[in-house]
Amino acid sequence: MLEKLSSGLRDALNKITRAGYIDKKTLDELAKDIQKTLLAGDVDILIADNLTKRIEERALNEKPPTGMTPKEHVTKIVYEELVKVVGKKPEIMMKPGKIMFIGLYGSGKTTSIGKLSKYYQKIGLRPALIGCDIHRPAAMDQINQLASQINVPCYAPKDIKDPIAILKTGFDKLKKYDMIIIDASGRSSLDKDLAEELKNIADFAKPQEVLLTIPADLGQAAGEQAKGFKELVGITGIFLTKMDGTARGGGAITSCAITGAPIKFIGVGEKIDAIEVFDPERFISRLIGFGDIQGLLEKAKEAEFKPETAEKIVEGKFTMNEFLEQLKAMQKMGSLKSVIGMMPGLPVKIPKEFDMDKQEGKMKKWSYIIQSMTKQERDDPQTIDTSRVKRIAKGSGTTEAEVRELLKSHGQMKKMVKMFSSGGKRGMMSRFAKKFKGF
Ligand SMILES: Nc1nc2c(ncn2[C@@H]2O[C@H](COP(=O)(O)OP(=O)(O)OP(=O)(O)O)[C@@H](O)[C@H]2O)c(=O)[nH]1
Ligand SMILES: [Mg+2]
């Protein structure tokens, strides 16, 4: 979905992830890269301009919050500004009422009506359809077939050529249903005749929701079209169709944003269940491809990982003190596995001993054990022999086996850390350390 936009944005952001530090030049380059990508993806030039300007301005002027590196901060800004462009999380009509679909020829009205009916059916509401496409000969057959396929009542007579007459009878016949969804005619452009017909339908039906279908591959023309329909009948939302079939789609998305009407649903295929409620945050996360980027940022903020600890680790020192710090940090961050999993480019397998999710009890014990060690033992755990193990177990109220388990885990983690640190300042652990230090 929107591969072109997506890969361009990913490349632009990856560049800064690779860059050692961020300065005005790096930001300029990022802004240029993003702008190029947006334009190539059919995003309106004004929107692309404004967006990149805002990103650059914020990145230059805002200080990264504690616990967040400048790189993370910039990524977050790019993410937030993109989310703003595609709008707020939409409200989906849940109260019984009328929904009217409008849009040009072949934009996906009838198909989307089928999808939306199925969607409502699934959540326990009872939709019913009225076909008002009096012009295209096969239109009434199409909607009747669709309705019977999903078991939804439908009034779409072939012999009545007046939409208002159809609506009158239709509303009467279907009054016990929750959602009455009206399918209107399309046209190759929004001409005077169609405009008048749609206006009459809207005036008579008084739909609470008017959804405009816009195919995602429409490009820059989408803006004008959306504006035209909006002025005519006042659309309440956009159903962005054919999102599966285009690598660009930026024109539709951002031009829709011009009208201020929220994208409510997206169509992602021809099948009846190829519908998604539009979620700006999820959509942009997917587009940028950082998976659960927000989760990482939140967790990184929460964890009070001491930068000094990370530095020591990078330098190859890994005493019991660092071990304890690490364990505490991990516990706050949730499982190390999930944190590492959220960092792009870290294909590392974490030993299950360090999956701290369900190990709170063990953590407590381990910290008692470490507290029972002398400074020398903590700095150099290799000096801990059998008699010292005995003493430490006694002092901490644990068993010798538990002390040995901790020593073993420390050894394992040291190894893992070494593996991270290999590659010196550019190594994984170094990056990990910087991430928490905020430079
Ligand atoms: N791939 C893909 N195809 C879609 C999607 N939505 C609709 N289509 C296809 O687009 C074509 C036109 O869809 P319709 O629902 O007939 O469009 P319409 O707006 O009702 O067209 P008219 O009634 O002629 O104005 C059909 O072949 C659909 O299968 C979608 O989300 N993805
Ligand atoms: Mg149709």
Side-chain angles (χ1 to χ4, degrees):
M1 190 159 77
L2 308 189
E3 294 83 4
K4 213 170 174 167
L5 255 181
S6 180
S7 64
L9 287 170
R10 283 175 204 214
D11 288 348
L13 284 168
N14 277 340
K15 255 198 220 167
I16 60 160
T17 313
R18 278 198 304 272
Y21 57 96
I22 293 175
D23 53 12
K24 174 119 185 20
K25 196 169 151 262
T26 319
L27 285 178
D28 273 349
E29 213 171 293
L30 173 76
K32 255 190 221 128
D33 282 348
I34 291 183
Q35 193 177 33
K36 233 189 289 168
T37 302
L38 294 174
L39 292 179
D42 262 347
V43 172
D44 181 89
I45 182 149
L46 264 178
I47 291 201
D49 259 4
N50 281 335
L51 179 70
T52 40
K53 257 186 217 133
R54 266 202 314 274
I55 290 174
E56 217 182 338
E57 222 174 79
R58 280 189 61 190
L60 277 172
N61 297 324
E62 285 177 22
K63 266 181 94 180
T66 345
M68 208 184 277
T69 67
K71 278 178 221 157
E72 272 181 330
H73 186 221
V74 171
T75 309
K76 186 170 159 270
I77 290 172
V78 171
Y79 164 82
E80 281 170 358
E81 290 301 328
L82 279 167
V83 169
K84 259 189 231 160
V85 170
V86 293
K88 289 197 197 79
K89 205 170 172 152
E91 261 177 51
I92 307 299
M93 186 166 121
M94 288 299 168
K95 277 193 215 141
K98 301 187 190 94
I99 301 172
M100 176 178 174
F101 268 71
I102 53 172
L104 296 186
Y105 260 151
S107 56
K109 292 178 294 297
T110 312
T111 312
S112 303
I113 285 174
K115 292 176 182 178
L116 187 63
S117 308
K118 188 83 191 279
Y119 170 86
Y120 278 132
Q121 251 180 352
K122 266 194 192 157
I123 54 177
L125 287 162
R126 294 171 314 156
L129 314 183
I130 297 181
C132 280
D133 185 350
I134 48 168
H135 300 287
R136 199 164 55 83
M140 295 300 192
D141 288 337
Q142 188 194 358
I143 194 164
N144 274 314
Q145 265 169 27
L146 188 69
S148 67
Q149 188 194 327
I150 50 172
N151 229 341
V152 165
C154 174
Y155 181 67
K158 272 166 104 166
D159 52 339
I160 305 178
K161 294 292 169 201
D162 170 14
I164 304 302
I166 297 176
L167 287 173
K168 269 186 193 150
T169 316
F171 289 152
D172 193 46
K173 276 183 186 289
L174 302 167
K175 58 174 175 279
K176 62 175 199 273
Y177 291 90
D178 301 323
M179 301 288 184
I180 307 293
I181 308 180
I182 303 162
D183 187 20
S185 300
R187 208 51 71 90
S188 53
S189 67
L190 183 57
D191 58 31
K192 230 178 107 205
D193 286 348
L194 177 65
E196 201 176 301
E197 188 178 308
L198 293 177
K199 199 153 174 25
N200 287 340
I201 294 176
D203 284 348
F204 181 78
K206 298 195 177 50
Q208 289 83 356
E209 179 103 286
V210 179
L211 293 178
L212 171 67
T213 48
I214 293 189
D217 54 8
L218 190 61
Q220 305 256 348
E224 276 311 298
Q225 208 185 91
K227 240 190 203 161
F229 277 109
K230 188 185 175 186
E231 278 156 21
L232 183 71
V233 283
I235 54 177
T236 58
I238 286 160
F239 196 126
L240 203 53
T241 61
K242 308 183 192 183
M243 281 292 275
D244 52 311
T246 179
R248 292 143 76 95
I253 298 168
T254 53
S255 305
C256 294
I258 292 179
T259 63
I263 301 170
K264 295 207 169 180
F265 296 95
I266 55 178
V268 291
E270 292 192 69
K271 296 226 172 78
I272 196 88
D273 48 8
I275 175 175
E276 287 178 18
V277 172
F278 184 69
D279 179 338
E281 292 181 1
R282 204 167 131 233
F283 179 74
I284 298 297
S285 293
R286 268 202 280 184
L287 205 62
I288 297 183
F290 276 6
D292 198 0
I293 186 160
Q294 274 202 313
L296 168 68
L297 300 183
E298 271 162 30
K299 285 194 171 185
K301 248 194 294 181
E302 281 165 19
E304 292 154 19
F305 190 95
K306 283 196 185 150
E308 307 89 71
T309 308
E311 246 167 26
K312 275 193 193 134
I313 293 169
V314 176
E315 285 161 13
K317 286 178 203 143
F318 192 67
T319 69
M320 278 292 166
N321 288 331
E322 274 85 59
F323 185 51
L324 194 61
E325 283 298 335
Q326 275 276 23
L327 293 176
K328 277 187 194 155
M330 270 183 216
Q331 215 186 11
K332 275 193 189 148
M333 291 164 86
S335 89
L336 181 61
K337 204 164 55 196
S338 72
V339 173
I340 298 267
M342 281 186 288
M343 300 191 38
L346 288 189
V348 181
K349 271 211 164 123
I350 306 300
K352 64 175 184 312
E353 290 87 338
F354 303 126
D355 212 341
M356 301 308 292
D357 265 355
K358 296 175 195 90
Q359 306 208 33
E360 269 192 40
K362 199 188 241 174
M363 268 295 299
K364 260 197 199 128
K365 267 193 188 160
W366 282 8
S367 58
Y368 293 150
I369 295 174
I370 294 174
Q371 276 157 28
S372 296
M373 292 176 186
T374 64
K375 186 174 179 308
Q376 188 211 356
E377 285 165 348
R378 277 189 223 177
D379 286 348
D380 190 3
Q382 277 182 339
T383 59
I384 304 176
D385 56 12
T386 321
S387 71
R388 286 182 179 215
V389 167
K390 252 189 202 150
R391 195 210 75 235
I392 293 167
K394 240 187 173 173
S396 58
T398 59
T399 66
E400 287 170 42
E402 281 167 331
V403 176
R404 273 193 292 273
E405 188 199 12
L406 171 118
L407 290 172
K408 193 173 146 216
S409 293
H410 170 262
Q412 273 174 339
M413 193 182 250
K414 196 171 171 178
K415 246 191 249 157
M416 193 173 82
V417 162
K418 240 195 197 143
M419 189 175 78
F420 272 156
S421 326
S422 62
K425 290 258 176 259
R426 301 182 68 91
M428 284 177 187
M429 198 61 215
S430 175
R431 279 199 269 150
F432 202 77
K434 279 197 186 133
K435 205 163 200 66
F436 292 102
K437 197 182 168 196
F439 291 99

